[in-house]
Amino acid sequence: MIIRGNTVQEIQDSIRSLLKEGKLHEGDFLPSVRELAEQLGVNRNTVASAYKNLILLGIVVSKGRLGTQIKIQQKIRSLEGYQAKLTQNIVDLAHGNPLRTFLACLENIQLKQFYCAVYGDDIYHEGLLKIAQKYIFSDIHQTNKINFSHGAIDAIERILQAYLVSGDKIAVEQPGFITSINTLEQQQYKMYPYTVSSTGFNVTELQSALENNIQAVILTPRAQNPTGYSLDQEQAKKIKALLTHYPHVLVIIDDHFSILSTHCYHHIIPESTQHWAVIRSVSKYLAPDFRFAFISSDEETSTKLRCKLNAGSTWVSHILQEIIYQLLQDENFDTRIKEAQTYYHIQNQKLINHLQRCNIPCATQYDGLNIWLDLPHTDKCTKLLAQQGWLVRSGQDFRIDKDISGLRISTAEMTDLQMQNFAQVMQNIYQILLHI
């Protein structure tokens, strides 16, 4: 492997060519700046600049005294490995899905009089904007503008790209939402995790991240995925007071369970925060397949989003907007939301009761579609459960920079008998875990 070149551009191009040719591989270390400078007969600053550019491009990473390493690309965390294990004898508690019964039905959608949009038309449905302001974001009292996006992750990605560049630092929850973690990894952001547990959101760790000059914070205030925990009023006040000292930090709220939540929304964004957004997707109450989210934000963030979601090429489909508008206007919508909200709450509580009777440690309440069991020896536990016919997600799937002990269990599709049987199996496995 020979790196060539006399200029910054030539050196970095040479390294990239060696990667494409398979002469350099993920995890390989490059020569030291001094060594390569002597080899090429160039100034050390030239090599250092080439390495710096490659770091910004996300091709290499600095390992301090160890040197510069070809970046090991993160494997995308998904459900594929779990789906491959599914058989008729396995009960899937790893899916994280809402119950199909409560999702949208399109049989009453009327599009006969609908005219599809063309280039240059208004990008947003006026009626849907009004619903968003009066209903979806009725609890946001700051001056705000409304936008739409292709789902919550699309919104997060677009907002981050509007303000940040690769290498910027973001405070994120740990354990965290798999898709969000994947997105941040792929965009080469540096993640500063703060812990979410049954005792709440770790404000001390969040403060430490802020003191380390992070550029953004992402927080899930209700039904946090994977834990099912929600932010209480006391912690919300602490976080809001903390953020007042960092007005330049971008704050993104992913309130994905929104109108289905049994917990109050506590707004943590102070008036002093310059750039912020609250994102509420329709995935949990209409369907994930809609890939649609509402965004409430400050005016500058709204302007940046509208530049990215313009009428020339990247707007959210007007057909989709019309369908969602009609679904939200349906006379039975509120009733169905209330039924779904009650159902998910009861499902979680039923499983908690079974687990408590079997002396399995768990929180007293959860919100959302999952509950979280903070148990030791996660990998061993998931294997033992699989052998007994239960598929769950390991806490390791939701980690950022440390091992996570815990299991995520999706409750939406569980029957009463399954809950009882699962708790009894967990009781036996828990005794095994305690003696490892």
Side-chain angles (χ1 to χ4, degrees):
M1 184 269 293
I2 300 176
I3 299 173
R4 306 180 185 279
N6 295 313
T7 67
V8 172
Q9 189 65 49
E10 288 173 353
I11 294 170
Q12 68 185 56
D13 286 348
S14 176
I15 292 170
R16 295 184 72 177
S17 294
L18 291 169
L19 264 171
K20 291 177 181 177
E21 295 166 5
K23 296 175 182 177
L24 274 175
H25 305 89
E26 291 183 11
D28 287 349
F29 279 89
L30 297 176
S32 68
V33 170
R34 178 178 179 180
E35 182 184 348
L36 185 57
E38 290 178 354
Q39 175 187 316
L40 298 177
V42 299
N43 190 288
R44 292 183 194 175
N45 290 337
T46 302
V47 176
S49 295
Y51 282 7
K52 183 178 180 180
N53 288 349
L54 291 170
I55 290 172
L56 292 174
L57 290 170
I59 295 170
V60 303
V61 291
S62 174
K63 293 291 184 178
R65 293 183 179 181
L66 294 177
T68 303
Q69 185 185 36
I70 303 297
K71 184 170 182 177
I72 299 173
Q73 300 299 324
Q74 297 288 338
K75 294 181 179 179
I76 294 179
R77 314 172 203 202
S78 69
L79 277 171
E80 291 175 2
Y82 286 86
Q83 291 168 338
K85 298 176 185 176
L86 288 178
T87 67
Q88 290 184 342
N89 299 320
I90 290 285
V91 179
D92 182 11
L93 306 181
H95 55 75
N97 281 313
L99 192 69
R100 290 181 186 272
T101 305
F102 294 116
L103 298 182
C105 176
L106 303 183
E107 64 179 359
N108 294 323
I109 298 299
Q110 300 292 327
L111 294 176
K112 290 181 179 179
Q113 304 300 319
F114 180 78
Y115 289 93
C116 294
V118 295
Y119 298 113
D121 284 354
D122 289 341
I123 61 174
Y124 294 143
H125 189 297
E126 195 62 37
L128 201 52
L129 284 174
K130 291 177 180 177
I131 289 177
Q133 192 69 265
K134 294 181 179 180
Y135 178 63
I136 304 297
F137 294 115
S138 61
D139 52 359
I140 305 296
H141 304 301
Q142 283 171 275
T143 302
N144 65 89
K145 295 287 185 179
I146 306 297
N147 290 276
F148 310 148
S149 69
H150 303 283
I153 296 302
D154 177 63
I156 291 171
E157 189 170 4
R158 289 178 187 274
I159 293 168
L160 291 177
Q161 288 177 348
Y163 289 105
L164 276 60
V165 297
S166 296
D168 280 348
K169 297 177 286 188
I170 303 173
V172 293
E173 301 154 343
Q174 181 167 252
F177 182 42
I178 294 173
T179 310
S180 294
I181 294 172
N182 284 337
T183 298
L184 299 181
E185 286 176 342
Q186 291 164 17
Q187 296 299 319
Q188 313 293 339
Y189 297 122
K190 294 180 180 178
M191 289 179 277
Y192 274 65
Y194 57 96
T195 304
V196 179
S197 69
S198 58
T199 59
F201 291 64
N202 194 313
V203 180
T204 301
E205 291 179 356
L206 178 57
Q207 180 175 355
S208 177
L210 289 162
E211 290 171 351
N212 276 280
N213 299 316
I214 58 166
Q215 280 78 38
V217 173
I218 301 176
L219 186 143
T220 310
R222 299 185 284 190
Q224 196 265 352
N225 193 346
T227 65
Y229 303 140
S230 297
L231 191 68
D232 62 30
Q233 187 173 17
E234 183 180 348
Q235 283 199 314
K237 287 181 178 179
K238 290 180 179 178
I239 294 174
K240 188 172 184 176
L242 179 60
L243 290 173
T244 59
H245 301 293
Y246 301 90
H248 63 283
V249 172
L250 170 66
V251 180
I252 299 176
I253 304 300
D254 182 8
D255 192 20
H256 70 108
F257 211 56
S258 61
I259 60 176
L260 285 174
S261 178
T262 56
H263 288 249
C264 293
Y265 172 72
H266 299 296
H267 197 57
I268 66 161
I269 304 172
E271 293 288 344
S272 58
T273 296
Q274 297 170 8
H275 303 123
W276 58 272
V278 177
I279 303 164
R280 291 174 174 165
S281 75
V282 305
S283 295
K284 301 302 185 293
Y285 59 88
L286 291 184
D289 200 32
F290 279 107
R291 317 312 306 149
F292 184 91
F294 297 96
I295 307 164
S296 173
S297 71
D298 64 276
E299 189 165 356
E300 183 176 345
T301 300
S302 173
T303 300
K304 289 179 179 294
L305 280 170
R306 291 190 178 223
C307 288
K308 289 180 172 292
L309 290 162
N310 61 74
S313 58
T314 54
W315 70 85
V316 175
S317 164
H318 289 70
I319 300 173
L320 178 59
Q321 292 185 51
E322 175 64 22
I323 291 173
I324 290 174
Y325 174 72
Q326 291 187 32
L327 289 171
L328 296 183
Q329 289 282 83
D330 186 277
E331 60 181 8
N332 297 317
F333 177 75
D334 288 339
T335 300
R336 195 177 75 251
I337 291 297
K338 197 64 180 177
E339 290 175 351
Q341 183 185 62
T342 302
Y343 173 82
Y344 294 132
H345 176 72
I346 291 175
Q347 283 291 101
N348 288 342
Q349 201 59 49
K350 281 182 181 177
L351 184 55
I352 290 169
N353 294 340
H354 284 294
L355 292 169
Q356 288 176 335
R357 282 195 285 269
C358 291
N359 298 312
I360 306 300
C362 61
T364 56
Q365 61 177 328
Y366 298 87
D367 195 20
L369 305 175
N370 311 290
I371 73 166
W372 179 262
L373 299 184
D374 189 6
L375 301 177
H377 310 293
T378 297
D379 290 338
K380 178 70 173 178
C381 187
T382 54
K383 288 178 182 177
L384 289 172
L385 281 168
Q387 291 169 7
Q388 296 291 319
W390 304 94
L391 191 66
V392 300
R393 289 217 75 141
S394 163
Q396 294 294 80
D397 293 336
F398 307 97
R399 72 188 185 277
I400 295 171
D401 67 348
K402 66 178 182 181
D403 289 341
I404 298 292
S405 296
L407 304 176
R408 192 194 76 173
I409 301 158
S410 300
T411 63
E413 297 179 353
M414 294 184 79
T415 65
D416 289 354
L417 181 59
Q418 286 176 338
M419 290 183 185
Q420 182 179 342
N421 292 340
F422 177 78
Q424 291 172 350
V425 170
M426 277 302 310
Q427 186 177 38
N428 296 329
I429 291 176
Y430 184 54
Q431 293 304 312
I432 295 172
L433 299 178
L434 291 178
H435 292 91
I436 292 178

